[in-house]
């Protein structure tokens, strides 16, 4: 699905009118085009399914000496942003941690950050971001044992409604042994 920038321009112009603004005034004349270009970038992830993202970032490397079955790969503090599907409000200052237990192959760590970034570029909920990242990492690595932790601020909580500016939302998505193995959970939450 391609993002229809012409439709976005048209509707942003209509929103400006609905707000009582003159969309032709100097400061707003190019706003519909700027918003359409911004939406094309910030919602890029909507163009791809989880399978397509797994294919895009699916480069893996074999693990020559398999070590312990409790070996863990974890990448923390991956910065992303997204937009809430309920209010189209910005979810910001989001930090993602992705962990998995390798089987025969590992994924390049920069690919984990790229996956998180692309998944964030969709209208959705923070819980869905974690579930989508976990699904994609499972597809790529072949490991059932995947965990995704996300902490972020939501402007639907901080700038509108209840307006609690310091609030953070924390979600965890646990798959495979991360659901049941307390020692793995302890290592993850350190």
């Amino acid at each position: 699905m391609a993002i229809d920038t012409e439709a976005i321009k048209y509707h942003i112009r209509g929103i400006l009118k609905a707000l009582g603004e003159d969309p032709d005034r100097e400061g707003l004349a190019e706003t519909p085009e700027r918003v359409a270009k911004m939406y094309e970038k910030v919602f890029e992830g909507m163009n791809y399914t989880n399978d397509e993202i797994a294919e895009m970032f699916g480069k893996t490397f074999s693990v020559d000496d398999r070590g312990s079955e409790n070996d863990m790969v974890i990448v923390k503090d991956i910065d992303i942003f997204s937009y809430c599907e309920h209010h189209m409000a910005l979810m910001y200052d989001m930090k993602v941690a992705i962990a998995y237990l390798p089987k025969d192959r590992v994924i390049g760590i920069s690919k984990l950050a790229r996956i998180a970034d692309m998944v964030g570029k969709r209208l959705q909920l923070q819980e869905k971001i974690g579930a989508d990242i976990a699904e994609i990492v499972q597809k790529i690595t072949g490991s059932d044992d995947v965990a995704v932790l996300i902490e972020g601020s939501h402007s639907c909580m901080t700038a509108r409604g209840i307006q609690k500016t310091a609030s953070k939302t924390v979600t965890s998505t646990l798959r495979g042994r991360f659901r049941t193995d307390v020692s793995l959970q302890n290592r993850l939450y350190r």
Side-chain angles (χ1 to χ4, degrees):
M1 171 191 93
I3 293 174
D4 186 345
T5 56
E6 289 306 313
I8 293 170
K9 288 183 214 178
Y10 174 82
H11 292 290
I12 293 298
R13 184 173 171 80
I15 290 170
L16 290 171
K17 285 181 183 178
L19 290 171
E21 278 288 353
D22 173 8
D24 295 318
R25 75 173 170 84
E26 183 180 6
L28 294 177
E30 296 174 13
T31 296
E33 184 175 338
R34 285 191 295 267
V35 171
K37 284 181 179 179
M38 177 186 72
Y39 279 7
E40 198 170 32
K41 289 185 186 297
V42 301
F43 295 125
E44 178 186 10
M46 295 175 72
N47 292 322
Y48 306 103
T49 66
N50 285 353
D51 287 333
E52 290 169 328
I53 293 172
E55 189 175 313
M56 274 193 293
F57 303 120
K59 175 88 171 146
T60 61
F61 306 92
S62 67
V63 179
D64 294 333
D65 181 359
R66 174 125 196 312
S68 164
E69 66 178 28
N70 287 323
D71 286 353
M72 181 191 306
V73 175
I74 184 166
V75 178
K76 294 182 176 185
D77 295 327
I78 302 168
D79 292 315
I80 68 165
F81 67 89
S82 192
Y83 287 84
C84 166
E85 66 184 29
H86 294 153
H87 303 100
M88 291 185 69
L90 184 64
M91 294 187 281
Y92 59 97
D93 290 341
M94 296 179 85
K95 299 281 187 192
V96 177
I98 303 170
Y100 71 98
L101 305 181
K103 284 179 84 173
D104 300 324
R105 302 194 65 77
V106 294
I107 184 174
I109 57 175
S110 70
K111 299 296 189 246
L112 294 172
R114 291 179 191 282
I115 291 164
D117 189 55
M118 187 63 75
V119 168
K121 292 180 177 181
R122 297 173 171 169
L123 284 172
Q124 61 186 349
L125 303 175
Q126 183 169 316
E127 298 88 340
K128 179 77 169 115
I129 294 170
D132 285 348
I133 292 169
E135 178 184 324
I136 293 165
V137 172
Q138 285 179 307
K139 287 176 185 290
I140 293 171
T141 64
S143 176
D144 292 328
D145 308 311
V146 176
V148 180
L149 308 177
I150 305 173
E151 179 178 307
S153 298
H154 295 233
S155 59
C156 54
M157 281 278 293
T158 62
R160 62 159 299 282
I162 193 73
Q163 297 181 347
K164 298 299 179 192
T165 58
S167 67
K168 299 273 187 196
T169 300
V170 178
T171 56
S172 62
T173 304
L174 306 176
R175 301 286 187 260
R177 290 180 38 218
F178 282 103
R179 283 186 176 172
T180 57
D181 188 328
V182 175
S183 67
L184 283 176
Q185 292 171 8
N186 289 337
R187 288 171 57 199
L188 178 66
Y189 291 116
R190 276 194 279 179

